[in-house]
């Protein structure tokens, strides 16, 4: 059985809040992990990849990990499994395949 | 002091010119078209520094205003009737985001049937949107109310609507005392919002998804911001009096001393009713008038103090709630007076829908009827449709 970590956070009273649900910090989407929305998982094959970076530029969640200008993997903490990367990957390379998430 | 001859629309456009807002986004609609048409002339002639955004609808107009206001600009627009109805969705968005936009509005009936003349159904239909509402009785008041509303809006983070009656005020030439441009500028001050979206050093997010865990708290804080509007209004109105010599209380009493009965109404009809009060007072009748100027937020204590002392009150409502129980001013006033130990008998007269003229004789009739009610304590009819054919 997998360990489930529950984070308990005190919810603030209305007097403590910024007016109008204003978020006063940049890039807060990093705190919101969307990977558990996924039902299909993109699996990247480093051998087949031709490093065209189409997947990187089209990923709507910036979940294609790139180091030194090269794809090195997929960020499963944020990837929602939309499949755009697999769709855009050139058929001759076909380096990304969508597989069903299993429990 | 400078004295000009201007219509209500010209007066509001002139006030906007003196404010010189950063952004105006608007779409024309009768009878408010002139406000932005005249203002666009000021833009074209270089008399203001405003970025004028011509859009394709009122929905877009207020959306553009919201964007500009969130970015940190001082923003105004103008509309009427169907235009306000089309803005309805965005009214809530401006208010929920605490964007202090001011609308110079002309009250016009809502379709159907289609009509371009005055009643208050447009703004009364937006009472719950979270905008301060000021109903003006003449052009002078409309001119004066624009900078007053702007100052309160920016101080409280609450948007505001200043309205006049279609054609009766908007197109009637009137004597207008105006301030100097720099006096208006000094009165409103520079707009320096605490938070704004284009703050590149401290980036912000406006309008994110807010679910079961925080939506209620944010609404509660919005209501709290609204609860400070009336006290701010009272301060700002006094400040404006010092500057201009003209004072506008949220609830105005006219010849109410020693009066047994009063009419409670808003807009241009209040000015007509003052004439009637003068005449009846000369005949020795104990009648007075209370004018509703602010209807959001509700000046609850002021209304209790103003109306609580009469034997009978007739509300004159220029719109209906379709509740089969009279107009909005009537219903809310009854709610306000409910807690008083000694309260007046209160009846409603829905009048003037679609610009139907209200004449001196109509108002005299209302005073006659409530005087009778005060004498006998008997109400024959709770809600009367005044001036419509087919009714007694």
């Amino acid at each position: 059985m997998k360990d489930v970590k529950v984070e308990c956070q005190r919810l603030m009273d209305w007097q403590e809040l910024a007016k109008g649900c204003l978020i006063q910090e940049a890039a807060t989407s990093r705190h919101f992990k969307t990977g558990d929305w996924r039902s299909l998982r993109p699996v990247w094959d480093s051998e087949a990849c031709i490093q065209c970076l189409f997947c990187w530029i089209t990923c709507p969640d910036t979940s294609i990990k790139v180091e030194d200008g090269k794809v090195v993997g997929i960020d499963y903490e944020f990837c929602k499994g939309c499949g755009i990367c697999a769709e855009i990957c050139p058929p001759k390379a076909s380096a990304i395949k969508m597989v069903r998430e299993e429990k | 002091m400078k004295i000009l001859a201007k219509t209500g629309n010209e007066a509001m456009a002139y006030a906007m010119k003196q404010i010189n807002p950063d952004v105006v986004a608007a779409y024309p609609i009768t009878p408010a078209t002139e406000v932005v048409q005249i203002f666009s002339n000021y833009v074209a002639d270089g008399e203001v520094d405003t970025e004028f955004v011509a859009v394709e609808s009122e929905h877009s107009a207020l959306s553009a205003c919201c964007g500009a206001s969130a970015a940190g600009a001082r923003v105004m627009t103008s509309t009427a009737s169907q235009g306000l109805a089309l803005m309805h969705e965005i009214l809530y968005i401006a208010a929920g985001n605490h964007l202090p936009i001011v609308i110079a509005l002309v009250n016009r009936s809502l379709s159907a049937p289609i009509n371009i003349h005055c009643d208050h159904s447009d703004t009364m239909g937006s009472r719950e949107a979270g905008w301060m509402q000021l109903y003006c009785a003449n052009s002078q008041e409309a001119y004066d109310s624009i900078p007053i509303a702007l100052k309160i809006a920016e101080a409280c983070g609450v948007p505001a609507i200043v309205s006049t009656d279609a054609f009766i005020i908007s197109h009637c030439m009137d004597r207008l005392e105006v301030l100097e441009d720099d006096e208006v500028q000094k009165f409103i001050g520079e707009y320096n919002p605490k938070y704004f979206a284009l703050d590149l050093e401290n980036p912000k997010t406006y309008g994110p998804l807010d679910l079961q865990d925080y939506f209620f708290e944010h609404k509660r804080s919005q209501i709290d911001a609204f609860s400070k509007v009336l006290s701010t209004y009272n301060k700002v109105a006094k400040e404006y009096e010092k500057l201009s010599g003209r004072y506008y209380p949220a609830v105005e009493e006219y010849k109410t001393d020693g009066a047994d009965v009063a009419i409670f109404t808003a807009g241009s009809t209040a000015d007509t009713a003052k004439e009637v009060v003068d005449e009846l007072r000369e005949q020795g009748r104990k009648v007075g008038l209370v004018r509703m100027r602010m209807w959001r937020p509700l000046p609850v204590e002021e209304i209790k103090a103003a109306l609580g002392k009469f034997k009978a009150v007739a509300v004159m409502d220029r719109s209906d709630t379709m509740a089969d129980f009279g107009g909005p001013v009537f219903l809310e006033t009854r709610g306000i007076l409910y807690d008083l130990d000694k309260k007046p008998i209160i009846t409603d007269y829905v009048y003037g829908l679609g610009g139907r003229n209200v004449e001196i004789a109509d108002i005299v009739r209302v005073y006659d009827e409530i005087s009778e009610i005060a004498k006998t304590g008997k109400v024959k009819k709770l809600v009367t449709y005044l001036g419509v054919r087919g009714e007694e």
Side-chain angles (χ1 to χ4, degrees):
Chain A
M1 212 174 99
K2 231 164 63 176
D3 273 351
V4 181
K5 199 177 147 205
V6 180
E7 279 183 35
C8 283
Q9 229 183 344
R10 189 185 76 85
L11 293 172
M12 288 186 279
D13 292 345
W14 66 261
Q15 293 91 340
E16 300 170 73
L17 300 174
K19 280 181 180 177
C21 198
L22 188 69
I23 298 177
Q24 302 180 56
E25 192 189 327
T28 49
S29 59
R30 285 191 190 126
H31 304 313
F32 189 51
K33 309 276 161 70
T34 50
D36 58 0
W37 296 15
R38 195 171 54 235
S39 59
L40 293 172
R41 161 189 291 255
V43 176
W44 173 68
D45 180 347
S46 61
E47 300 288 314
C49 179
I50 57 169
Q51 296 295 346
C52 66
L53 295 176
F54 282 3
C55 56
W56 170 74
I57 205 159
T58 51
C59 175
D61 274 293
T62 55
S63 295
I64 305 294
K65 291 201 256 188
V66 169
E67 281 169 22
D68 299 327
K70 289 195 167 161
V71 177
V72 295
I74 289 161
D75 187 344
Y76 292 116
E77 283 200 323
F78 292 98
C79 167
K80 293 175 187 149
C82 70
I84 289 173
C85 54
E87 190 66 30
I88 200 82
C89 187
K92 278 185 185 168
S94 190
I96 299 177
K97 297 220 162 48
M98 300 304 287
V99 301
R100 189 152 293 282
E101 286 282 358
E102 306 283 346
K103 280 195 175 160
Chain B
M1 185 184 63
K2 205 154 59 171
I3 297 168
L4 306 172
K6 284 199 182 292
T7 65
N9 281 345
E10 289 167 354
M12 292 213 282
Y14 194 79
M16 285 171 72
K17 175 183 94 105
Q18 293 188 302
I19 285 168
N20 192 6
D22 298 313
V23 176
V24 168
Y27 190 81
I29 183 164
T30 303
T33 300
E34 282 177 333
V35 178
V36 280
Q37 178 221 312
I38 295 163
F39 187 81
S40 68
N41 287 345
Y42 293 138
V43 176
D45 294 344
E47 292 190 57
V48 288
D49 311 306
T50 308
E51 177 79 29
F52 187 87
V53 190
V55 285
E56 73 280 20
S57 75
E58 288 85 355
H59 189 279
S60 303
L62 196 56
S63 297
C65 287
C66 282
S69 182
R74 177 172 269 163
V75 183
M76 300 182 73
T77 185
S78 176
T79 193
S81 179
Q82 309 302 131
L84 186 68
L86 192 50
M87 285 180 178
H88 194 69
E89 179 188 2
I90 315 301
L91 289 176
Y92 286 76
I93 291 171
N97 283 305
H98 296 254
L99 303 174
I101 300 160
V102 174
I103 301 181
L105 188 134
V106 183
N107 281 122
R108 165 189 148 184
S109 60
L110 282 174
S111 197
I114 194 159
N115 177 293
I116 55 167
H117 293 276
C118 176
D119 66 40
H120 295 163
S121 50
D122 49 4
T123 45
M124 283 297 165
S126 301
R127 279 170 297 155
E128 273 81 58
W131 288 58
M132 179 174 89
Q133 292 192 348
L134 297 179
Y135 293 82
C136 301
N138 50 55
S139 303
Q140 183 69 59
E141 186 180 342
Y143 165 82
D144 293 326
S145 296
I146 298 272
I148 290 174
L150 185 88
K151 192 166 169 129
I152 300 159
E154 290 177 355
C156 298
V158 166
I161 292 173
V162 174
S163 69
T164 64
D165 286 350
F167 296 101
I168 304 162
I169 301 174
S170 70
H171 286 62
C172 257
M173 190 66 75
D174 214 340
R175 178 186 184 279
L176 184 74
E177 289 181 18
V178 297
L179 300 169
E180 295 299 328
D181 291 0
D182 61 337
E183 288 179 310
V184 174
Q185 282 299 318
K186 212 175 143 206
F187 174 74
I188 58 173
E190 203 176 310
Y191 180 47
N192 290 310
K194 193 171 167 198
Y195 304 113
F196 55 101
L198 287 188
D199 182 354
L200 299 181
E201 300 300 311
N202 307 290
K204 308 274 185 304
T205 299
Y206 277 78
L209 183 68
D210 196 14
L211 295 177
Q212 294 96 323
D213 54 351
Y214 273 111
F215 180 90
F216 202 171
E217 279 69 25
H218 283 116
K219 276 291 151 192
R220 180 64 189 85
S221 84
Q222 188 188 339
I223 293 159
D224 183 63
F226 222 79
S227 75
K228 298 184 173 70
V229 171
L230 181 59
S231 56
T232 310
Y233 174 87
N234 289 335
K235 252 187 281 169
V236 172
K238 287 263 162 62
E239 221 180 295
Y240 192 80
E241 184 189 20
K242 262 186 218 156
L243 176 67
S244 67
R246 292 179 293 275
Y247 177 64
Y248 301 99
V251 177
E252 182 196 355
E253 295 191 39
Y254 184 75
K255 298 196 175 171
T256 53
D257 280 350
D260 289 333
V261 298
I263 284 177
F264 184 44
T265 194
S268 57
T269 303
D271 269 9
T272 314
K274 283 179 184 175
E275 297 283 327
V276 177
V277 169
D278 289 347
E279 256 178 60
L280 296 180
R281 280 274 177 172
E282 270 178 36
Q283 297 168 20
R285 304 260 306 264
K286 291 176 176 174
V287 298
L289 174 85
V290 179
R291 181 168 72 93
M292 168 281 258
R293 165 163 153 83
M294 178 186 279
W295 203 241
R296 277 298 179 275
L298 282 176
V300 173
E301 294 309 319
E302 283 83 345
I303 289 171
K304 277 187 197 167
L307 298 181
K309 54 186 174 267
F310 303 114
K311 289 181 184 155
V313 169
V315 173
M316 287 182 70
D317 257 304
R318 205 160 191 160
S319 66
D320 196 89
T321 54
M322 298 293 161
D324 196 20
F325 194 39
V329 181
F330 171 66
L331 288 179
E332 294 183 4
T333 304
R334 275 173 88 88
I336 290 166
L337 300 182
Y338 183 81
D339 287 330
L340 293 179
D341 292 331
K342 195 172 160 283
K343 42 186 166 272
I345 298 171
I346 171 167
T347 53
D348 193 23
Y349 290 82
V350 176
Y351 77 98
L353 302 189
R356 173 62 49 84
N357 203 18
V358 59
E359 297 181 359
I360 299 282
D362 295 319
I363 298 171
V364 170
R365 177 192 150 184
V366 174
Y367 277 120
D368 287 346
E369 289 184 6
I370 51 170
S371 299
E372 188 63 21
I373 289 171
K375 215 191 297 172
T376 62
K378 281 189 188 131
V379 175
K380 283 192 199 135
K381 216 172 181 187
L382 194 64
V383 180
T384 304
Y385 290 88
L386 182 70
V388 70
R389 288 186 301 280
E391 297 261 314
E392 284 168 38

